[in-house]
Amino acid sequence: MKLLSHHLHVQSIPAKQIGSIILPKDLNEDVNHGGVKVFRVLAVGPGRRNRKGVLLPLECTPGDRVMCHSYFTGPMKLDDGSYIITDSEVIAVLPKP
């Protein structure tokens, strides 16, 4: 699969403690109360273009762990349980373990 523009292909991973950030299990699974989820980035698109047509690459790369709100604005869930999301849904890139 070749991703276009500012899209990311991510897989959900369980998160209890990420570095010095502790995420209670209920936050990781609670979609209705604004929790967060942690994903492993599987693939990224090339990025967005600004008004002048200059390519702005994404700030994460395959293999990174990213934190997102558990409520998405419009993710596409694939058959294998992974998601296609946009870069604007990413809150933070987490440090490597």
Side-chain angles (χ1 to χ4, degrees):
M1 165 176 30
K2 179 180 178 182
L3 294 172
L4 303 177
S5 189
H6 60 285
H7 293 91
L8 294 89
H9 181 201
V10 296
Q11 179 76 46
S12 181
I13 57 174
K16 291 185 181 177
Q17 182 169 358
I18 311 233
S20 61
I21 302 170
I22 298 172
L23 299 174
K25 185 177 180 184
D26 61 335
L27 277 182
N28 197 36
E29 297 172 351
D30 190 356
V31 176
N32 296 323
H33 292 93
V36 295
K37 284 194 169 214
V38 177
F39 295 92
R40 180 161 316 280
V41 178
L42 303 175
V44 298
R48 294 180 188 252
R49 293 201 177 267
N50 68 11
R51 291 182 183 176
K52 294 183 179 181
V54 176
L55 183 64
L56 305 172
L58 299 178
E59 296 185 47
C60 56
T61 58
D64 284 347
R65 294 179 308 156
V66 295
M67 184 185 303
C68 303
H69 285 288
S70 61
Y71 55 89
F72 292 114
T73 57
M76 180 187 305
K77 188 170 184 178
L78 303 178
D79 289 339
D80 64 357
S82 62
Y83 297 89
I84 302 292
I85 63 172
T86 63
D87 64 340
S88 61
E89 294 169 317
V90 175
I91 299 169
V93 177
L94 301 171
K96 304 243 185 234

